Structure formats: structure tokens, C-alpha cells
Amino acid sequence: MTTIYKIQPKHLNEHASLYGGQLLEWIDNYCFAKTEKYKKEAGERFVTRATNCEFISPIYVGEIIEIRIKNEKIGNTSITFEYEVVVMDKIRAKGSSTFVKLFNDKPVPILKDNKT
């Protein structure tokens, strides 16, 4: 599954390339949206535990990026999404984001039968 963004001038840093913080926001939002299918009860939520991103090469205005989830690793109380950021079939960034499932601000198990 992927999500797509077109880089606009408002997304650039002082070097005229995509601001890394903007990319991290998009990645976090996309991965967070993918946690929805693992909620079973009202009041359950996911929070970002860790993010790791390797910026491989700059991304410029007008380029269209795809954020691709390559793998989901489900632990006891967390999910780690491995992703790639691709422009015209070239990987420009890659990494992983981990989310923890909480209920009443305490980690709770992700039941394996939640997977769809």
C-alpha cells in the first residue's frame, strides 16, 4: 500500500529540497492511519514510540513521492512499519516507525486475530 504527495514550494527547506520534518510528518500520519485496523475496543489508541529515517538523496519541488509500507512487524504491544520513500522507482529515503497500542495510558496486547 502506498500514499502519494507532490512536492510544492511550501514543503522546501533553505536548501530548496524537501524539508525532512515535513516528510517525517507524512510518514507518521500514514503509518498511524494503518494502525486503525488493530483497534478492537473503544478507548484503544496507538502512539508513536520511535521513528528511524535514513535520507538517501534530496527530493525537489515538482517531484511526486510515494511512501510505501514494505513490512508490518507485530509484536506483543507494538507494530513496526518498514517503509520506503520512492521517486520514479528510486528510493530516496527509508526507515521504520514503531507504534504502541494503549488503553487507559497503559500498553495492551495486539491480538493476532486482529490482522486483516
Side-chain angles (χ1 to χ4, degrees), residues 62-107:
E63 292 187 307
I64 297 173
I65 66 168
E66 288 183 64
I67 301 171
R68 299 177 180 169
I69 300 295
K70 301 302 289 179
N71 193 18
E72 292 181 18
K73 294 180 182 178
I74 301 173
N76 184 39
T77 62
S78 65
I79 302 173
T80 299
F81 299 99
E82 295 176 354
Y83 62 84
E84 295 175 341
V85 178
V86 178
V87 177
M88 296 180 61
D89 293 325
K90 292 188 179 182
I91 299 171
R92 304 293 267 290
K94 63 183 178 179
S96 62
S97 290
T98 301
F99 293 79
V100 175
K101 186 177 184 181
L102 301 177
F103 184 77
N104 290 332
D105 294 327
K106 294 186 175 151

Side-chain angles (χ1 to χ4, degrees), residues 5-83:
Y5 294 95
K6 182 173 182 178
I7 308 308
Q8 301 174 29
K10 66 182 179 181
H11 302 134
L12 303 181
N13 61 24
E14 66 272 13
H15 306 291
S17 62
L18 176 62
Y19 172 58
Q22 177 65 70
L23 180 59
L24 291 174
E25 178 183 343
W26 290 335
I27 291 166
D28 191 61
N29 285 335
Y30 181 50
C31 292
F32 176 75
K34 293 190 61 66
T35 67
E36 288 295 313
K37 68 182 178 183
Y38 296 102
K39 293 181 185 176
K40 288 198 77 115
E41 307 280 332
E44 290 181 342
R45 62 189 179 102
F46 281 86
V47 295
T48 306
R49 170 89 165 88
T51 298
N52 174 31
C53 185
E54 177 185 354
F55 298 95
I56 297 169
S57 62
I59 299 169
Y60 298 104
V61 71
E63 292 187 307
I64 297 173
I65 66 168
E66 288 183 64
I67 301 171
R68 299 177 180 169
I69 300 295
K70 301 302 289 179
N71 193 18
E72 292 181 18
K73 294 180 182 178
I74 301 173
N76 184 39
T77 62
S78 65
I79 302 173
T80 299
F81 299 99
E82 295 176 354
Y83 62 84

Side-chain angles (χ1 to χ4, degrees), residues 37-38 72 74 110-116:
K37 68 182 178 183
Y38 296 102
E72 292 181 18
I74 301 173
I110 299 169
L111 303 176
K112 300 301 180 192
D113 66 333
N114 281 16
K115 288 173 58 173
T116 55

